[in-house]
């Protein structure tokens, strides 16, 4: 009995290790897809020069429709002082899409990592995992990319991927 238990336990450990590695490979591939898609969206938004909230909402819904593995997307429009003036967030629900305006006093949008990190880096960045209270209400990571016009950051555009809650 003992001689079959140890190889069986070893096989189980090997299978679990391989499954975990497969999850990592899938997550890395999904993150690579976000980088390409979001950089393209940022370039398109620079060229399109959308003028109202409805146009941005529609554009984000089309973007998410083209990328069914992405959970949500946002655009935060900035003024000359790099303060968020408008921020529309579109995310998936069981019934389709939900749209939120994230410029709410309780959300404190100008202090969110997904805003501050790309502004500081002047480049696209990934946030560490966080629980998006006031937004998607799930654990996620966010890729944020500045949208430029004549070298000035006029907006931040994002894509969210769901993640498991980190071990506490």
């Amino acid at each position: 009995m003992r001689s079959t238990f140890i190889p069986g336990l070893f096989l189980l450990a090997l299978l679990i290790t391989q499954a975990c590695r497969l999850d990592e490979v899938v997550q890395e591939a999904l993150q690579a897809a976000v980088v390409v898609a979001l950089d393209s969206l940022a370039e398109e938004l620079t060229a399109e020069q959308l003028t109202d909230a409805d146009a941005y909402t529609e554009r984000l819904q089309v973007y998410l429709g083209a990328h069914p593995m992405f959970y949500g997307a946002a655009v935060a429009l900035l003024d000359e002082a790099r303060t968020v003036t408008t921020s529309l967030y579109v995310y998936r629900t069981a019934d389709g899409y939900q749209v939120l305006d994230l410029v709410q006093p309780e959300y404190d949008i100008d202090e969110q990592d997904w805003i501050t990190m790309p502004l500081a880096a002047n480049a696209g960045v990934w946030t560490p995992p966080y629980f998006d209270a006031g937004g998607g209400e799930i654990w996620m990571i966010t890729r944020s990319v500045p949208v430029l016009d004549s070298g000035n950051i006029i907006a931040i555009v994002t894509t969210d991927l769901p993640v498991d809650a980190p071990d506490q």
Side-chain angles (χ1 to χ4, degrees):
M1 177 75 161
R2 187 174 191 173
S3 63
T4 60
F5 177 73
I6 292 175
L9 189 57
F10 175 76
L11 180 59
L12 179 61
L14 181 63
L15 290 173
I16 290 170
T17 302
Q18 291 302 318
C20 290
R21 180 65 189 132
L22 181 60
D23 284 347
E24 290 172 15
V25 169
V26 169
Q27 186 68 19
E28 289 170 6
L30 192 52
Q31 286 180 251
V34 167
V35 169
V36 171
L38 192 57
D39 285 352
S40 178
L41 178 61
E43 290 174 14
E44 291 168 11
L45 290 177
T46 298
E48 290 172 7
Q49 297 288 315
L50 302 176
T51 57
D52 62 42
D54 289 338
Y56 279 106
T57 299
E58 182 179 323
R59 185 65 186 89
L60 293 175
Q61 288 175 338
V62 168
Y63 173 75
L64 288 175
H67 303 285
M69 297 299 293
F70 302 173
Y71 175 75
V75 62
L77 304 178
L78 307 174
D79 63 16
E80 294 81 23
R82 292 186 165 186
T83 300
V84 178
T85 59
T86 303
S87 184
L88 301 166
Y89 180 52
V90 178
Y91 65 98
R92 297 179 191 285
T93 68
D95 300 322
Y97 297 112
Q98 177 73 33
V99 180
L100 296 176
D101 177 358
L102 296 177
V103 179
Q104 303 294 325
E106 62 275 7
Y107 189 63
D108 199 17
I109 193 167
D110 288 305
E111 299 304 316
Q112 300 296 321
D113 283 348
W114 63 270
I115 294 288
T116 61
M117 290 171 60
L119 287 175
N122 200 29
V125 297
W126 282 101
T127 65
Y130 67 100
F131 185 81
D132 189 31
E137 300 296 330
I138 66 165
W139 280 95
M140 64 175 61
I141 56 174
T142 299
R143 174 78 178 172
S144 300
V145 174
V147 176
L148 303 174
D149 183 29
S150 301
N152 297 316
I153 300 175
I154 60 168
I156 302 293
V157 65
T158 73
T159 299
D160 299 326
L161 295 177
V163 295
D164 294 331
D167 297 330
Q168 301 297 336

